[in-house]
């Protein structure tokens, strides 16, 4: 992408040089036009992204319950946060969720993508795998809430039939987070597989042909060729899915609502409860700042560890 | 919003690489023919694939089966593949066509469900956001891709930086802003924050506009067309495909949005379908939820997305991962 940007800049500089010989319009005239073109987006960006980001940081240093105006309290919210066991619990629960979600989602997505590439190019099949992604988190959560119901859910009927004890998937302290992770893996696996599949298309076929001439098995080819060459794409996919999965909310909000006993009170749900349930906007903002910092650090680490920028193909 | 950078890929893989693609297709065909023997490995691979397909599709069939059942009869035959005591009752309840007594008799809560209102709200919310965002972002993308002005790359860089800010972080201040503007629990308050831009939409469209041939634009300008005419008469019509794709992706994402409509629009008059479903679920008595009604409601709420998908399946799939093989 960066390459194409540079190339474009070159071309357009030359283009402009030629044009300015023919036409009297200069940079200044284009600036005026450009301003008109970006004005709506600029207003939207300033009002709903830039200023809120700064205000979010400011609110985190205040006590604010929406009545009256924010009261400056300095680092108090952060001190409180360090001593808040529920915050640490939320962090722990969220990380456990992210680990489960990302591990299974990424493994299944890579598996599905490789299978798609090796078996069929059918658009219908890819479309079918994408269907769960089209319905909302809320619907996916409801659907599994029903399928996994303790009394008459299909899965527990099946467990009964096999002879295993029924499981209270959403109601059990041990099972609740894995169950929520499963629902979201189910919803996103096809989508993630398509992202990985797109990455697989960038690996030239001759590499595989050379490997098979050298007598490499499918497994060796996968480990020695596919995985290393897929690294830049995997890095992007991971950054996106990890960032998204740290902000899990919808599934929790419509099924367990943080319970049983805090085991599913993930960070975003905790922020939601503090801010909208208890009117502690300052404290809620402080937790959001911490989440923001965690995500920024993770994204940087992932990109660096996976050396996302450079491809082994070069 | 989980749509991603690689959504922008159709552009690079377009016309310029046709020859490459053809050569690749031929090579693929050859190696496919070689691979198409029925080895145990291939059979195992198909079994795994079919298992995942079943896992994906089956829950939807179960949804359908439950929606046509009578809630009160469900426990009598919980593993039957066909609807238990077939009825249209659940759909009637959801669409507000059943009387209180009918609803209660079949296991519903009898609470009024204003489905048509929620459907309308979802449509207004998603349509307004999609139209505004796509229009204003294509204008901005044009300025970033085709106009030369001082500070262009800097401003674009700052726009892109917003991609890194998690939505929860800006939604608290945005909530306070919407509240101070007096727009809490109104549709405009829900629509406003994403009406004018999202960083992703600007980025996505800019990638496409960069690929449009400059000669065409210059020809138009020599013929005396100004920037506005060039944009509306040439750039936009030439970019119908990517603009539509972005529109569809935005519409789906907005339709499925839950958090923002929940915090700024959770009153009867402004509730969208996702929020209403959450309420519907919590209204059902804890002991015996109205499963048939719940499944009918989710089906009806998902139907517009599924219809949209079946009409534009290939476009949506290609936008997520361009396969390079048609």
């Amino acid at each position: 992408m960066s390459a194409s940007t540079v190339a474009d800049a070159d071309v357009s500089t030359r283009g402009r040089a030629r044009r300015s010989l023919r036409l009297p319009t200069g940079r200044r005239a284009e600036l005026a036009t450009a301003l008109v073109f970006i004005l709506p987006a600029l207003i939207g960006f300033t009002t709903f992204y830039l200023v809120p980001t700064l205000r979010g940081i400011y609110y985190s240093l205040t006590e604010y319950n929406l009545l009256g105006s924010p009261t400056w309290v300095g680092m108090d919210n952060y001190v409180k946060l360090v001593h808040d066991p529920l915050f640490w619990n939320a962090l722990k629960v969220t990380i456990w969720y992210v680990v489960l979600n990302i591990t299974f989602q990424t493994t299944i997505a890579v598996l599905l993508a490789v299978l798609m590439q090796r078996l069929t190019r059918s658009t219908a099949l890819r479309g079918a795998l994408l269907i769960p992604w089209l319905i909302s988190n809320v619907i996916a959560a409801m659907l599994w809430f029903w399928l996994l119901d303790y009394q008459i859910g299909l899965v527990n009927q099946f467990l009964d039939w096999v002879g295993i004890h029924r499981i209270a998937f959403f109601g059990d302290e041990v099972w609740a987070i894995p169950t929520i992770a499963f629902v979201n893996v189910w919803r996103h696996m096809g989508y993630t597989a398509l992202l990985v599949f797109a990455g697989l298309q960038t690996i030239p076929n001759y590499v595989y042909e050379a490997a098979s001439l050298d007598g490499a098995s499918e497994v060796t080819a996968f480990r020695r060729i596919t995985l290393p060459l897929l690294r830049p794409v995997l890095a992007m996919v991971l950054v996106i899915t990890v960032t998204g999965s740290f902000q899990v909310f919808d599934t929790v909000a419509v099924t367990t609502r943080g319970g049983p006993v805090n085991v599913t009170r993930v960070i975003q749900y905790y922020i939601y409860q503090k801010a909208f349930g208890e009117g502690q906007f300052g404290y809620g903002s402080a937790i959001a700042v911490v989440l923001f910092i965690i995500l920024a650090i993770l994204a940087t680490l992932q990109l660096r560890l996976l050396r996302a920028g450079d491809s082994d193909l070069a | 919003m989980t749509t991603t950078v690689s959504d922008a890929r159709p552009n690079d893989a377009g016309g310029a690489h046709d020859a490459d693609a053809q050569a690749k297709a031929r090579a693929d065909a050859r190696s496919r023919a070689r691979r198409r023997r029925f080895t145990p490995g291939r059979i195992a691979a198909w079994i795994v694939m079919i298992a995942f397909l079943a896992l994906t599709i089956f829950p939807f069939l179960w949804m359908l089966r439950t929606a046509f059942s009578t809630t009160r009869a469900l426990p009598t035959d919980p593993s039957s593949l066909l609807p238990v005591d077939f009825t249209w009752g659940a759909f009637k309840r959801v669409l507000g066509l059943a009387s209180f007594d009918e609803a209660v008799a079949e296991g519903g809560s009898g609470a009024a469900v204003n489905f048509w209102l929620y459907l309308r709200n979802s449509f207004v919310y998603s349509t307004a956001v999609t139209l505004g965002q796509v229009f204003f972002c294509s204008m901005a993308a044009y300025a970033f891709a085709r106009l030369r002005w001082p500070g262009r790359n800097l401003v674009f860089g700052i726009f892109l930086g917003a991609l890194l800010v998690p939505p929860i972080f800006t939604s608290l201040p945005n909530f306070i802003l919407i509240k101070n503007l007096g727009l809490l629990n109104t549709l405009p308050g829900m629509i406003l924050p994403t009406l004018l831009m999202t960083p992703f939409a600007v980025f996505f469209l800019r990638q496409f506009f960069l690929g449009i041939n400059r000669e065409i634009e210059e020809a138009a300008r020599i013929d005396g067309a100004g920037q506005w005419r060039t944009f509306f008469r040439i750039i936009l019509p030439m970019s119908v495909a990517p603009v539509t794709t972005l529109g569809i992706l935005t519409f789906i994402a907005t339709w499925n949005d839950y958090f923002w409509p929940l915090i700024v629009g959770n009153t009867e008059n402004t509730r969208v379908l996702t929020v209403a479903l959450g309420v519907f679920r919590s209204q059902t008595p804890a002991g015996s939820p109205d499963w048939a009604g719940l499944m009918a409601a989710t089906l009806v709420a998902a139907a517009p997305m599924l219809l949209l998908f079946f009409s534009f399946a290939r476009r949506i799939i290609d936008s997520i991962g361009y396969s390079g093989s048609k």
Side-chain angles (χ1 to χ4, degrees):
Chain A
M1 186 209 96
S2 61
S4 75
T5 318
V6 173
D8 170 75
D10 273 349
V11 171
S12 57
T13 321
R14 262 184 278 124
R16 198 174 53 80
R18 262 189 288 132
R19 204 164 51 235
S20 58
L21 289 180
R22 289 193 302 256
L23 298 166
T25 49
R27 227 169 214 249
R28 212 166 277 272
E30 287 213 345
L31 175 64
T33 324
L35 272 182
V36 176
F37 270 95
I38 66 161
L39 193 65
L42 198 62
I43 293 173
F45 175 75
T46 317
T47 322
F48 297 107
Y49 288 89
L50 187 63
V51 175
T53 302
L54 302 174
R55 282 176 80 101
I57 297 169
Y58 164 70
Y59 287 137
S60 80
L61 303 169
T62 67
E63 207 176 287
Y64 187 30
N65 62 0
L66 289 187
L67 307 167
S69 50
T71 326
W72 182 268
V73 294
M75 297 298 283
D76 278 10
N77 284 327
Y78 292 95
V79 175
K80 184 176 156 195
L81 188 146
V82 173
H83 299 289
D84 179 359
L86 276 181
F87 164 74
W88 292 107
N89 174 67
L91 194 62
K92 196 186 79 188
V93 166
T94 310
I95 291 173
W96 176 225
Y97 165 82
V98 171
V99 168
L100 285 174
N101 184 41
I102 297 302
T103 314
F104 284 98
Q105 185 167 300
T106 314
T107 317
I108 293 174
V110 171
L111 174 75
L112 282 179
V114 171
L115 288 180
M116 272 193 252
Q117 197 199 21
R118 300 308 248 170
L119 294 177
T120 173
R121 313 238 138 202
S122 152
T123 309
L125 184 132
R126 278 185 281 155
L129 287 173
L130 198 58
I131 292 178
W133 177 72
L134 293 160
I135 61 168
S136 60
N137 282 324
V138 174
I139 294 181
M142 303 260 193
L143 177 53
W144 283 100
F145 201 59
W146 162 227
L147 279 161
L148 300 174
D149 180 67
Y150 187 75
Q151 302 292 341
I152 53 172
L154 183 67
V155 176
N156 272 319
Q157 293 299 317
F158 178 76
L159 292 183
D160 241 11
W161 182 71
V162 179
I164 308 174
H165 283 294
R166 286 169 182 253
I167 297 169
F169 287 97
F170 286 98
D172 186 278
E173 287 184 33
V174 176
W175 280 96
I177 280 286
T179 304
I180 289 168
F182 165 80
V183 173
N184 288 330
V185 168
W186 179 79
R187 181 171 175 246
H188 288 107
M189 63 188 184
Y191 175 76
T192 318
L194 282 194
L195 292 181
V196 178
F197 182 74
L200 286 178
Q201 306 308 304
T202 62
I203 303 175
N205 213 38
Y206 65 80
V207 189
Y208 288 108
E209 285 178 359
S212 97
L213 282 181
D214 289 344
S217 69
E218 290 260 346
V219 178
T220 316
F222 175 75
R223 277 185 42 225
R224 296 292 173 81
I225 300 173
T226 310
L227 275 188
L229 290 182
L230 207 53
R231 208 195 49 227
V233 174
L234 271 185
M236 280 321 295
V237 169
L238 275 177
V239 170
I240 293 156
T241 49
V242 169
T243 311
S245 99
F246 258 95
Q247 297 173 66
V248 54
F249 174 84
D250 304 0
T251 321
V252 172
V254 295
T255 58
T256 61
R257 296 192 208 123
V261 211
N262 296 329
V263 295
T264 60
R265 191 170 305 200
V266 291
I267 292 186
Q268 183 152 341
Y269 197 70
Y270 191 48
I271 297 174
Y272 169 78
Q273 285 186 318
K274 281 288 162 198
F276 299 99
E278 302 171 22
Q280 300 190 36
F281 275 81
Y283 192 52
S285 300
I287 307 174
V289 169
V290 174
L291 180 62
F292 185 12
I293 294 170
I294 293 175
L295 290 180
I297 294 173
L298 276 180
T300 320
L301 274 182
Q302 283 173 313
L303 290 175
R304 191 158 298 171
L305 285 178
L306 288 157
R307 286 173 298 135
D310 40 60
S311 163
D312 289 337
L313 264 180
Chain B
M1 178 109 169
T2 37
T3 33
T4 71
V5 174
S6 60
D7 285 335
R9 199 155 281 157
N11 177 36
D12 322 14
H17 301 304
D18 259 5
D20 280 11
Q22 276 171 18
K24 195 166 166 255
R26 255 178 280 126
D28 279 353
R30 251 181 286 129
S31 62
R32 231 182 307 159
R34 211 178 43 232
R35 269 191 259 129
R36 197 151 272 190
R37 274 179 251 120
F38 280 99
T39 63
R42 272 188 77 80
I43 294 170
W46 267 114
I47 291 174
V48 174
M49 186 60 129
I50 289 167
F52 274 103
L53 262 181
L55 178 64
T56 303
I57 303 297
F58 183 76
F60 290 98
L61 299 178
W62 199 251
M63 199 185 219
L64 208 61
R65 167 263 187 203
T66 310
F68 283 113
S69 300
T70 307
T71 297
R72 288 207 190 284
L74 275 174
T76 60
D77 197 354
S79 49
S80 148
L81 283 175
L82 292 172
V84 188
D85 196 0
F86 181 92
T87 173
W88 287 91
F91 287 96
K92 283 191 188 154
R93 239 174 292 151
V94 169
L95 300 177
L97 302 172
S99 70
F100 180 85
D101 293 338
E102 275 175 321
V104 172
E106 288 194 351
S109 72
V113 189
N114 243 330
F115 177 82
W116 296 107
L117 179 66
Y118 310 143
L119 184 72
R120 191 208 69 178
N121 289 341
S122 272
F123 259 110
V124 173
Y125 177 50
S126 313
T127 310
V129 166
T130 304
L131 289 181
Q133 198 184 107
V134 168
F135 180 70
F136 293 123
C137 287
S138 53
M139 279 172 62
Y142 177 69
F144 284 123
R146 308 314 286 233
L147 301 176
R148 299 284 302 168
W149 42 283
R152 181 181 73 165
N153 291 342
L154 178 72
V155 176
F156 184 65
I158 297 172
F159 268 39
L160 274 195
L163 276 174
L164 297 174
V165 184
I168 174 71
F169 188 69
T170 43
S171 35
L172 295 187
N174 276 338
F175 170 83
I176 295 168
L177 177 66
I178 293 295
K179 185 178 180 293
N180 291 342
L181 289 173
L183 292 175
L184 207 56
N185 297 324
T186 65
L187 280 168
M190 291 159 65
I191 294 164
L192 215 50
T194 40
L195 178 72
L196 296 174
M197 73 93 72
T198 59
F200 172 75
V202 175
F203 173 76
F204 183 93
L205 288 172
R206 175 179 169 271
Q207 291 303 101
F208 280 101
F209 291 163
L210 283 176
I212 292 178
N213 193 339
R214 218 157 237 288
E215 305 293 320
I216 299 167
E217 243 178 299
E218 297 202 352
R221 204 155 313 164
I222 290 166
D223 287 346
Q227 299 284 10
W228 280 101
R229 280 189 61 168
T230 313
F231 176 68
F232 281 108
R233 295 292 172 78
I234 296 171
I235 300 286
L236 270 191
M238 280 179 76
S239 315
V240 170
V243 169
T244 317
T245 305
L246 178 71
I248 296 168
L249 293 177
T250 311
F251 193 84
I252 294 176
T254 317
W255 185 275
N256 288 339
D257 198 7
Y258 180 66
F259 188 65
W260 181 251
L262 175 71
I263 61 178
V264 293
N266 196 4
T267 55
E268 185 65 15
N269 284 330
T270 53
R271 220 166 259 159
V272 294
L273 280 170
T274 46
V275 178
L277 280 175
V279 175
F280 188 60
R281 133 108 175 87
S282 56
Q283 272 174 353
T284 55
S288 57
D290 176 12
W291 291 116
L294 205 54
M295 288 301 112
T298 53
L299 259 180
V300 182
M305 286 310 93
L306 297 177
L307 280 180
L308 191 69
F309 180 62
F310 289 126
S311 329
F312 294 99
R314 179 168 289 261
R315 177 166 281 174
I316 295 173
I317 293 166
D318 283 352
S319 76
I320 288 164
Y322 188 76
S323 68
S325 61
K326 290 232 156 153

